[in-house]
Amino acid sequence: MKLSKESILGLIALGTFFILALIAPGFLSSNNITSMMFQLPEFGLIALAMMVVIVTGGIDLSITYIAALSGVGAALMLTNGYGILPAIIVAILFALACGAFNGFVISKIGVSPILVTLGTMVLFEGIILAITKGNSISGFSDGYSLIGNGYYLGLVPLSIVIFVLFAIITAVLLSKTSWGRSVYMYGSNETATLFSGVKNSRVLMKVYLYASLLAAISAIIMTSRYNSVKVDLGSSYLLQSVAAAVLGGTNIHGGYGKVIGTVYAVMIFQFIRNGLNLLGFHSSLVDVVIGAILILVLAMNFFSDKFKKVAETRKAEKAA
């Protein structure tokens, strides 16, 4: 029986969990498990956003600053006496405005995604610094803090429920809707997709809007959990989100990627980060490990594609 790459990754996640349970003291304690469950959603949502963009063959380097700007929007509303719902709506609107700007420049003007989002990363950072003067905004209501710190039915962290809900929505959108099929088609062959009658610009615009929506949801969870927001909110997730998407099987050149693969990759990174911390390793080592994993996976994918092309060429030569 041949296992899919996502199934293999699921087994690796399971194996990583059991190995760290054996060697890392306190890994299986209820406090540690609960801590991981609270940390996973904010990273997972950013990783899903990055995955959706990478499926088109693009990348969004501004995604964590979209989240930070979105969090600032929510924080300004909350600290000026507005309720939770208006704050959430403003956070989402801030993020959608950023996504619309990225999507417009990439899809309508045709500038490379890496150049556009590199520029908007700096732009959004500057806007946040202009608003906050480099300071953090804190002091939110107890009701708002329940989003990132509360439990659903007193059992499961509410943020995990939100993450699972958006993971399912993302999977359904990509696999069951015409937009999702167009996203994969665009990532596989942009020109063929255009000649098949698909409006590429509309597909891309929705991709960047949806990625920004996921970033906003992540920002709401983060600001609620930390009870504050500042310019570098979630910035550590930028490299990790790319690594999680690629490790999860998403083709860096576009055309392939599944939500379940990204979820497994997020779990693996969460287990490794937590396990290394419990084993007493310096936090910088986590970045080293994640960077090494990213390079290793990219190299494996490169040689895998190369071997496939060689095999296909030989097969075609024999057939001729």
Side-chain angles (χ1 to χ4, degrees):
M1 183 179 66
K2 186 176 180 180
L3 296 175
S4 66
K5 61 171 72 176
E6 286 78 18
S7 299
I8 294 171
L9 199 63
L11 293 174
I12 293 173
L14 195 61
T16 305
F17 180 86
F18 281 117
I19 290 171
L20 289 170
L22 289 173
I23 64 174
F27 187 79
L28 283 181
S29 68
S30 59
N31 286 340
N32 191 55
I33 297 292
T34 303
S35 174
M36 284 195 290
M37 291 177 74
F38 274 112
Q39 292 170 11
L40 190 142
E42 57 195 45
F43 171 37
L45 287 163
I46 295 287
L48 286 179
M50 189 64 80
M51 184 213 77
V52 174
V53 175
I54 292 178
V55 168
T56 66
I59 194 167
D60 191 346
L61 298 177
S62 66
I63 195 74
T64 55
Y65 284 97
I66 292 176
L69 186 54
S70 173
V72 168
L76 290 175
M77 294 294 288
L78 291 167
T79 52
N80 282 285
Y82 291 93
I84 296 172
L85 184 59
I88 291 174
I89 292 173
V90 167
I92 292 173
L93 290 176
F94 269 42
L96 292 179
C98 296
F101 185 77
N102 279 340
F104 176 79
V105 179
I106 292 168
S107 64
K108 298 292 185 183
I109 302 178
V111 184
S112 166
I114 192 169
L115 296 177
V116 173
T117 56
L118 182 63
T120 52
M121 178 178 73
V122 179
L123 172 66
F124 299 152
E125 181 185 15
I127 293 173
I128 297 168
L129 287 172
I131 295 173
T132 64
K133 310 298 181 189
N135 301 314
S136 62
I137 305 174
S138 58
F140 311 140
S141 64
D142 293 339
Y144 187 73
S145 70
L146 287 176
I147 299 172
N149 298 299
Y151 289 85
Y152 178 70
L153 299 178
L155 298 172
V156 183
L158 181 59
S159 54
I160 276 284
V161 176
I162 295 171
F163 171 63
V164 171
L165 176 64
F166 276 94
I168 293 172
I169 291 172
T170 306
V172 170
L173 285 174
L174 287 177
S175 61
K176 302 294 183 184
T177 67
S178 59
W179 171 70
R181 289 188 287 274
S182 300
V183 171
Y184 286 114
M185 286 171 61
Y186 180 90
S188 298
N189 193 319
E190 177 184 348
T191 306
T193 307
L194 182 63
F195 281 103
S196 66
V198 175
K199 291 188 176 179
N200 287 350
S201 60
R202 188 175 297 177
V203 173
L204 273 182
M205 178 63 82
K206 289 180 180 177
V207 163
Y208 285 92
L209 284 172
Y210 187 68
S212 299
L213 172 65
L214 293 176
I217 304 301
S218 176
I220 291 165
I221 292 174
M222 283 190 281
T223 52
S224 168
R225 199 163 75 87
Y226 306 148
N227 196 29
S228 70
V229 59
K230 55 182 181 178
V231 67
D232 61 347
L233 179 76
S235 60
S236 62
Y237 293 138
L238 179 58
L239 168 65
Q240 296 179 33
S241 63
V242 177
V246 174
L247 178 64
T250 307
N251 189 335
I252 195 69
H253 301 298
Y256 184 83
K258 289 188 176 179
V259 168
I260 189 65
T262 304
V263 171
Y264 284 144
V266 167
M267 291 170 66
I268 290 172
F269 283 136
Q270 185 64 52
F271 295 156
I272 291 175
R273 186 191 303 120
N274 185 270
L276 290 178
N277 287 334
L278 290 174
L279 289 168
F281 288 94
H282 193 274
S283 58
S284 60
L285 185 65
V286 177
D287 292 334
V288 174
V289 171
I290 290 173
I293 291 174
L294 177 59
I295 293 170
L296 179 64
V297 173
L298 287 171
M300 289 174 64
N301 288 341
F302 172 78
F303 286 112
S304 174
D305 292 341
K306 192 173 182 179
F307 291 144
K308 279 182 183 176
K309 286 180 181 177
V310 171
E312 288 173 357
T313 303
R314 288 177 178 171
K315 190 176 180 181
E317 288 175 350
K318 286 182 180 178

mmCIF file of all heavy atoms in Angstrom, residues 221-244:
data_model
loop_
_atom_site.group_PDB
_atom_site.id
_atom_site.type_symbol
_atom_site.label_atom_id
_atom_site.label_comp_id
_atom_site.label_asym_id
_atom_site.label_seq_id
_atom_site.Cartn_x
_atom_site.Cartn_y
_atom_site.Cartn_z
ATOM 1 N N ILE A 221 -6.596 36.219 17.838
ATOM 2 C CA ILE A 221 -6.233 35.233 18.868
ATOM 3 C C ILE A 221 -4.973 35.686 19.625
ATOM 4 O O ILE A 221 -4.909 35.608 20.854
ATOM 5 C CB ILE A 221 -6.009 33.850 18.219
ATOM 6 C CG1 ILE A 221 -7.345 33.302 17.702
ATOM 7 C CG2 ILE A 221 -5.383 32.878 19.214
ATOM 8 C CD1 ILE A 221 -7.218 32.022 16.911
ATOM 9 N N MET A 222 -3.978 36.181 18.867
ATOM 10 C CA MET A 222 -2.720 36.591 19.515
ATOM 11 C C MET A 222 -2.932 37.771 20.453
ATOM 12 O O MET A 222 -2.450 37.764 21.588
ATOM 13 C CB MET A 222 -1.674 36.948 18.441
ATOM 14 C CG MET A 222 -1.031 35.740 17.785
ATOM 15 S SD MET A 222 0.395 36.164 16.752
ATOM 16 C CE MET A 222 -0.394 36.761 15.273
ATOM 17 N N THR A 223 -3.629 38.816 19.980
ATOM 18 C CA THR A 223 -3.826 39.993 20.837
ATOM 19 C C THR A 223 -4.661 39.650 22.058
ATOM 20 O O THR A 223 -4.443 40.192 23.149
ATOM 21 C CB THR A 223 -4.527 41.123 20.049
ATOM 22 O OG1 THR A 223 -5.709 40.606 19.428
ATOM 23 C CG2 THR A 223 -3.613 41.689 18.986
ATOM 24 N N SER A 224 -5.592 38.727 21.866
ATOM 25 C CA SER A 224 -6.406 38.299 22.998
ATOM 26 C C SER A 224 -5.566 37.514 24.007
ATOM 27 O O SER A 224 -5.696 37.717 25.219
ATOM 28 C CB SER A 224 -7.554 37.426 22.483
ATOM 29 O OG SER A 224 -8.193 36.777 23.546
ATOM 30 N N ARG A 225 -4.694 36.645 23.498
ATOM 31 C CA ARG A 225 -3.885 35.799 24.390
ATOM 32 C C ARG A 225 -2.817 36.603 25.125
ATOM 33 O O ARG A 225 -2.581 36.404 26.306
ATOM 34 C CB ARG A 225 -3.231 34.667 23.586
ATOM 35 C CG ARG A 225 -2.768 33.492 24.440
ATOM 36 C CD ARG A 225 -2.523 32.270 23.611
ATOM 37 N NE ARG A 225 -1.300 32.341 22.856
ATOM 38 C CZ ARG A 225 -0.107 31.973 23.322
ATOM 39 N NH1 ARG A 225 -0.008 31.527 24.562
ATOM 40 N NH2 ARG A 225 0.960 32.031 22.563
ATOM 41 N N TYR A 226 -2.171 37.541 24.412
ATOM 42 C CA TYR A 226 -1.100 38.331 25.035
ATOM 43 C C TYR A 226 -1.629 39.570 25.762
ATOM 44 O O TYR A 226 -0.898 40.204 26.508
ATOM 45 C CB TYR A 226 -0.091 38.776 23.972
ATOM 46 C CG TYR A 226 0.487 37.662 23.132
ATOM 47 C CD1 TYR A 226 0.856 37.874 21.811
ATOM 48 C CD2 TYR A 226 0.670 36.387 23.652
ATOM 49 C CE1 TYR A 226 1.388 36.862 21.025
ATOM 50 C CE2 TYR A 226 1.199 35.363 22.877
ATOM 51 C CZ TYR A 226 1.551 35.604 21.572
ATOM 52 O OH TYR A 226 2.065 34.601 20.800
ATOM 53 N N ASN A 227 -2.885 39.941 25.470
ATOM 54 C CA ASN A 227 -3.477 41.167 26.026
ATOM 55 C C ASN A 227 -2.685 42.406 25.627
ATOM 56 O O ASN A 227 -2.642 43.405 26.362
ATOM 57 C CB ASN A 227 -3.592 41.077 27.550
ATOM 58 C CG ASN A 227 -4.540 42.135 28.099
ATOM 59 O OD1 ASN A 227 -5.478 42.542 27.411
ATOM 60 N ND2 ASN A 227 -4.284 42.607 29.303
ATOM 61 N N SER A 228 -2.021 42.344 24.479
ATOM 62 C CA SER A 228 -1.283 43.502 23.977
ATOM 63 C C SER A 228 -0.955 43.288 22.506
ATOM 64 O O SER A 228 -1.087 42.180 21.984
ATOM 65 C CB SER A 228 0.013 43.724 24.773
ATOM 66 O OG SER A 228 0.941 42.693 24.496
ATOM 67 N N VAL A 229 -0.520 44.357 21.846
ATOM 68 C CA VAL A 229 -0.094 44.253 20.448
ATOM 69 C C VAL A 229 1.018 45.268 20.207
ATOM 70 O O VAL A 229 1.004 46.364 20.769
ATOM 71 C CB VAL A 229 -1.285 44.512 19.488
ATOM 72 C CG1 VAL A 229 -1.887 45.891 19.710
ATOM 73 C CG2 VAL A 229 -0.851 44.363 18.027
ATOM 74 N N LYS A 230 1.986 44.862 19.417
ATOM 75 C CA LYS A 230 3.046 45.787 19.018
ATOM 76 C C LYS A 230 3.500 45.425 17.613
ATOM 77 O O LYS A 230 2.990 44.476 17.006
ATOM 78 C CB LYS A 230 4.213 45.768 19.996
ATOM 79 C CG LYS A 230 4.822 44.411 20.244
ATOM 80 C CD LYS A 230 5.936 44.537 21.276
ATOM 81 C CE LYS A 230 6.582 43.168 21.518
ATOM 82 N NZ LYS A 230 7.700 43.258 22.474
ATOM 83 N N VAL A 231 4.466 46.154 17.097
ATOM 84 C CA VAL A 231 4.804 46.063 15.681
ATOM 85 C C VAL A 231 5.283 44.667 15.266
ATOM 86 O O VAL A 231 5.058 44.245 14.129
ATOM 87 C CB VAL A 231 5.852 47.133 15.314
ATOM 88 C CG1 VAL A 231 7.177 46.829 16.010
ATOM 89 C CG2 VAL A 231 6.057 47.224 13.814
ATOM 90 N N ASP A 232 5.920 43.927 16.169
ATOM 91 C CA ASP A 232 6.459 42.622 15.786
ATOM 92 C C ASP A 232 5.543 41.471 16.167
ATOM 93 O O ASP A 232 5.994 40.332 16.300
ATOM 94 C CB ASP A 232 7.847 42.424 16.400
ATOM 95 C CG ASP A 232 7.811 42.456 17.919
ATOM 96 O OD1 ASP A 232 6.762 42.871 18.463
ATOM 97 O OD2 ASP A 232 8.812 42.080 18.552
ATOM 98 N N LEU A 233 4.248 41.770 16.319
ATOM 99 C CA LEU A 233 3.304 40.710 16.668
ATOM 100 C C LEU A 233 3.347 39.590 15.619
ATOM 101 O O LEU A 233 3.059 39.803 14.446
ATOM 102 C CB LEU A 233 1.880 41.283 16.733
ATOM 103 C CG LEU A 233 0.778 40.279 17.060
ATOM 104 C CD1 LEU A 233 0.801 39.922 18.548
ATOM 105 C CD2 LEU A 233 -0.594 40.845 16.689
ATOM 106 N N GLY A 234 3.725 38.400 16.036
ATOM 107 C CA GLY A 234 3.724 37.233 15.147
ATOM 108 C C GLY A 234 4.830 37.213 14.113
ATOM 109 O O GLY A 234 4.824 36.366 13.226
ATOM 110 N N SER A 235 5.784 38.141 14.213
ATOM 111 C CA SER A 235 6.826 38.213 13.169
ATOM 112 C C SER A 235 7.681 36.943 13.106
ATOM 113 O O SER A 235 8.205 36.601 12.055
ATOM 114 C CB SER A 235 7.719 39.432 13.400
ATOM 115 O OG SER A 235 8.342 39.352 14.665
ATOM 116 N N SER A 236 7.789 36.235 14.227
ATOM 117 C CA SER A 236 8.594 35.006 14.246
ATOM 118 C C SER A 236 7.960 33.897 13.412
ATOM 119 O O SER A 236 8.608 32.895 13.107
ATOM 120 C CB SER A 236 8.784 34.522 15.681
ATOM 121 O OG SER A 236 7.533 34.202 16.259
ATOM 122 N N TYR A 237 6.697 34.075 13.054
ATOM 123 C CA TYR A 237 6.002 33.026 12.293
ATOM 124 C C TYR A 237 6.227 33.118 10.781
ATOM 125 O O TYR A 237 5.751 32.255 10.048
ATOM 126 C CB TYR A 237 4.494 33.084 12.572
ATOM 127 C CG TYR A 237 4.128 32.731 13.986
ATOM 128 C CD1 TYR A 237 3.166 33.472 14.679
ATOM 129 C CD2 TYR A 237 4.728 31.657 14.641
ATOM 130 C CE1 TYR A 237 2.828 33.146 15.990
ATOM 131 C CE2 TYR A 237 4.393 31.337 15.941
ATOM 132 C CZ TYR A 237 3.441 32.083 16.609
ATOM 133 O OH TYR A 237 3.104 31.764 17.903
ATOM 134 N N LEU A 238 6.913 34.165 10.315
ATOM 135 C CA LEU A 238 7.061 34.332 8.868
ATOM 136 C C LEU A 238 7.846 33.175 8.248
ATOM 137 O O LEU A 238 7.350 32.483 7.352
ATOM 138 C CB LEU A 238 7.747 35.661 8.559
ATOM 139 C CG LEU A 238 7.980 35.953 7.068
ATOM 140 C CD1 LEU A 238 6.658 35.936 6.316
ATOM 141 C CD2 LEU A 238 8.681 37.299 6.882
ATOM 142 N N LEU A 239 9.067 32.949 8.715
ATOM 143 C CA LEU A 239 9.870 31.846 8.201
ATOM 144 C C LEU A 239 9.202 30.508 8.498
ATOM 145 O O LEU A 239 9.148 29.623 7.646
ATOM 146 C CB LEU A 239 11.270 31.879 8.823
ATOM 147 C CG LEU A 239 12.132 30.628 8.601
ATOM 148 C CD1 LEU A 239 12.463 30.457 7.125
ATOM 149 C CD2 LEU A 239 13.408 30.693 9.433
ATOM 150 N N GLN A 240 8.677 30.396 9.713
ATOM 151 C CA GLN A 240 8.068 29.123 10.112
ATOM 152 C C GLN A 240 6.844 28.779 9.257
ATOM 153 O O GLN A 240 6.593 27.609 8.979
ATOM 154 C CB GLN A 240 7.680 29.187 11.586
ATOM 155 C CG GLN A 240 8.861 29.338 12.528
ATOM 156 C CD GLN A 240 8.443 29.420 13.977
ATOM 157 O OE1 GLN A 240 7.465 28.816 14.384
ATOM 158 N NE2 GLN A 240 9.170 30.188 14.775
ATOM 159 N N SER A 241 6.088 29.798 8.850
ATOM 160 C CA SER A 241 4.887 29.515 8.043
ATOM 161 C C SER A 241 5.279 29.001 6.654
ATOM 162 O O SER A 241 4.630 28.104 6.115
ATOM 163 C CB SER A 241 4.017 30.766 7.923
ATOM 164 O OG SER A 241 4.695 31.810 7.244
ATOM 165 N N VAL A 242 6.350 29.571 6.078
ATOM 166 C CA VAL A 242 6.829 29.072 4.786
ATOM 167 C C VAL A 242 7.324 27.642 4.947
ATOM 168 O O VAL A 242 7.010 26.754 4.142
ATOM 169 C CB VAL A 242 7.971 29.965 4.240
ATOM 170 C CG1 VAL A 242 8.514 29.398 2.931
ATOM 171 C CG2 VAL A 242 7.486 31.391 4.025
ATOM 172 N N ALA A 243 8.090 27.415 6.023
ATOM 173 C CA ALA A 243 8.625 26.075 6.274
ATOM 174 C C ALA A 243 7.502 25.066 6.489
ATOM 175 O O ALA A 243 7.563 23.934 5.977
ATOM 176 C CB ALA A 243 9.556 26.112 7.476
ATOM 177 N N ALA A 244 6.467 25.460 7.222
ATOM 178 C CA ALA A 244 5.356 24.541 7.485
ATOM 179 C C ALA A 244 4.602 24.202 6.201
ATOM 180 O O ALA A 244 4.224 23.044 5.980
ATOM 181 C CB ALA A 244 4.408 25.163 8.509
#
